[in-house]
Amino acid sequence: MANKINCIAVMTSGGDAPGMNAAVRAVVRSALDKKVEVYAIYQGYKGIVKGGEMIRKMNWDSVGGILHKGGTEIGTARCPEFRQREGRLIGAKHLVKRGIDNLVVIGGDGSLTGANLFREEWPSLLKELEKNGEITKEEAKRHPILRIVGLVGSIDNDLSGTDMTIGADTALRRISDALDSISSTAASHQRTFVVEVMGRNCGYLALMSAIGSGADYILIPEMPPEAGKWEEDMCESVAASRKTGKNKSLIIVAEGARDQSGNAITSEYVKNILTERIGEDARVTILGHVQRGGAPSAFDRYMSTVLGHAAIEELINDSANKESIIIGMRKNKVAAIPMMDAVKKTHHIYECIEKGDYEQAIDLRGGSFRDALVTFNTLRQTYPHPPESRSFEPLNIMVMNASGPSPGMNIAVRTAVRVGLDKGHKIFGVRNSFEGLIQGSVHEMTWGEVEEWTSQGGSVLGTNRKTPDYKDFYNIAKTLEKYNINALLIIGGYTGYEGAYNLYQKREEFPAFDIPTVCLPASINNNLPGTDFSVGADSALNNIVDAVDKIKESAVASNRAFVVEVMGRYCGYLALMSGLATGAERVYLHEEGVTLKDLQNDVDNLVNGFREGKRLGLVIRNEYANKIYTTPFISALYEEDGGDVFDVRQSILGHLQQGGNPSPFDRAIGTRLSTKAMEFLCKKAGKQKNESVTIGLQGGHVLYRNIEDLKKVMDLKIKRPKEQWWMELREIAQVFAKNGPKK
Ligand code: ADP
């Protein structure tokens, strides 16, 4: 049932996290959009206790220009007074006097626990205030309950109940950039770097960054090593890799790492062990607050925007009437979770670690955490497990890239090679996609060959957009037969899918094609079937967001509108998501079409916006949104109709979107999907009925679909899935695209 709420407040508390500003902006603007009065409380609970100027009424423009900023513009603080009832009593008075009885708290588990306590005590606090004559009876009666909605702001990703916390993706990005830089200097000097990352109670940042950087060893709170034993294990691992000629090692230590006896494991200690026991030239880098700072990633911006918007929806829908709730992300969907359940589950993990029940602690972190740990332990080995230990004939598995290059392709190939070799099979790499398959450009891949492939953008194997057709099949079959290939993994975009489909259709004519095949989605466009995300799309999105930040900065002082064109072919994913993440006024998608009437409305809106004080306009156009209304056309139209009110610049971002090192998310999904794809191929190869499938991540799960579905689920003319989950977000984008209610 819809609840008539009059007034809400939003605050950030505890440790700051990149993305908090996006959340505050979304809460404020979504509230105003629903005609609800909204306040910001400055400096967390300190602001509640102090009152006065610390609780400020917000309008549409008060949260303008903050989306791209790190930290929190409304400030955060620790507040010991709020831990005492007297502090909360004064706080309650400050809220009641402004008519606030809905509170959105963005913070970690401490802040959320405090908020829940405040809610529980609220009736008794108001009674006491009334008794002391500090508020009137009517005031007390008007606000019988305090509704609390929490958003989890924490770079550690340490709260149960939400798959991602605000700030974690950005922190991972900072770590990933640092590790990429450290790797090159480490390799130049044949050094080992011991890198300490944040995570007092949670090994998420350490584990994900270790996978993404090809690290050799990790020490995390959930998996404390046996005291006195792990040192030997670590030294052996580093010494062995040095013997293979590997020129660097990386050891990642979470700041909360301990051994099973509870002794803290410091990075300095790790370094000393390496130096003293094996004479390694080891250096320590403690990344510290760098991880917390800087501009939020694309994901942190759009997730926080979506969550902030949902917080207001939940308050209006009355979900927080009976208990405090958290709005989080679960399985790629917004979810409302009872707040104290989530906090209790989080503390339960710490108790498990304390009790020595590490398996349970890892399970409580979720299935993908355990999978990641297992995969890391496979990939980090110096050699694969020796083949002598196998009692079966090794399979010959072929791996190739297809379509345009996409960041994360290489780490996916690396994972396939190592997982396959570790299972005792042979891996054959194809150069230059189907072209190489036709020409027989194939080589057997080795463990060491892919060592450095984690951070490299583009495609080391080579890739292109050639789709094989009838005249090519004979040569492809010849190559597959020559190497006696039992299974095929194609990591790429639509060309790869179409090629796999064509081979599958001809499997009776060419028995060599009758092998299990997996198509792994790798395309910056995110236009592939059977998956919510393709490898590379997140990197492209971050490239766009970084570029738009710079473009916007170039126009601070002038009345200027930018028309920015992004890639995606016929798929509007990059356009819509970058629009949400950069605060674009308008996004043009092929999915929605563009009409002259739209353009006329949009230009009118921009003119009005600039007349009311807007200084900058941003419009994002998908490259194929409309054949006639091109980027130069729209820019010219805006320029003409904008008259003296604003000027217009166009920016076609082009290939910078495809380049650069893969983002941590792309490295993570590339690794996860590739591991699962190899497990599938190893299980199916040699069996009677062979399957050709696409693999993908849907609702947080790894799922397979028969390649035959391709023609059913795709719009073949424009090569785009018929259903796209992110289209739901258009509605939210429209709320933020407005100029705001009239003042
Ligand atoms: P985080 O929210 O990042 O976990 P803290 O644990 O430092 O950070 O909490 C931030 C603030 O939240 C504290 O300074 C205090 O004002 C408030 N707070 C935390 N725990 C409680 C509690 N149990 N009762 C009341 N207030 C609390």
Side-chain angles (χ1 to χ4, degrees), residues 254-266:
E255 63 173 332
R258 295 180 179 277
D259 66 23
Q260 291 181 7
S261 305
N263 306 308
I265 300 175
T266 63

Side-chain angles (χ1 to χ4, degrees), residues 8 82 115 244 418 604 651 691:
I8 71 145
F82 194 75
T244 64
R418 291 204 165 174
D604 287 348
S651 182
E691 286 173 55

Side-chain angles (χ1 to χ4, degrees), residues 79-309:
C79 175
E81 295 88 335
F82 194 75
R83 291 180 184 269
Q84 312 303 324
R85 189 180 153 89
E86 300 89 84
R88 298 192 287 274
L89 187 70
I90 304 170
K93 180 177 140 189
H94 291 144
L95 297 192
V96 167
K97 286 292 176 197
R98 287 167 179 79
I100 299 167
D101 53 13
N102 296 278
L103 192 57
V104 179
V105 179
I106 308 165
D109 65 344
S111 306
L112 301 177
T113 306
N116 188 59
L117 183 63
F118 197 28
R119 173 191 178 280
E120 284 174 355
E121 283 182 352
W122 182 263
S124 74
L125 294 174
L126 262 54
K127 213 184 230 174
E128 193 174 331
L129 288 170
E130 189 193 328
K131 203 173 112 209
N132 300 345
E134 299 200 59
I135 61 171
T136 64
K137 194 171 175 187
E138 288 66 42
E139 280 171 327
K141 220 168 133 194
R142 220 175 293 141
H143 308 288
I145 56 168
L146 174 69
R147 288 184 209 83
I148 302 280
V149 172
L151 303 184
V152 194
S154 158
I155 64 161
D156 293 349
N157 203 24
D158 52 358
L159 205 97
S160 287
T162 181
D163 295 342
M164 283 301 271
T165 56
I166 294 171
D169 184 65
T170 307
L172 207 47
R173 204 172 159 207
R174 296 284 109 77
I175 297 170
S176 182
D177 288 348
L179 291 177
D180 288 351
S181 308
I182 284 170
S183 284
S184 58
T185 163
S188 312
H189 295 272
Q190 267 124 76
R191 278 181 183 150
T192 291
F193 268 84
V194 182
V195 182
E196 184 179 307
V197 302
M198 283 190 171
R200 250 175 296 159
N201 297 301
C202 180
Y204 175 84
L205 294 177
L207 176 58
M208 299 321 282
S209 59
I211 287 182
S213 62
D216 299 80
Y217 209 82
I218 48 167
L219 292 149
I220 57 172
E222 292 87 346
M223 205 184 52
E226 206 178 324
K229 294 245 171 93
W230 63 272
E231 292 90 340
E232 203 52 44
D233 181 42
M234 176 185 71
C235 288
E236 264 173 28
S237 163
V238 171
S241 69
R242 204 59 79 245
K243 263 196 212 139
T244 64
K246 195 176 140 179
N247 52 12
K248 59 137 210 300
S249 298
L250 270 182
I251 305 210
I252 315 280
V253 186
E255 63 173 332
R258 295 180 179 277
D259 66 23
Q260 291 181 7
S261 305
N263 306 308
I265 300 175
T266 63
S267 31
E268 198 59 31
Y269 176 73
V270 174
K271 178 201 114 171
N272 291 340
I273 291 287
L274 289 164
T275 317
E276 285 159 21
R277 296 204 187 169
I278 55 170
E280 186 63 22
D281 182 2
R283 304 292 159 111
V284 169
T285 299
I286 297 174
L287 294 183
H289 282 79
V290 163
Q291 296 163 85
R292 207 179 264 295
S297 68
F299 178 81
D300 273 324
R301 295 186 200 193
Y302 77 70
M303 179 182 74
S304 306
T305 300
V306 168
L307 297 184
H309 179 261

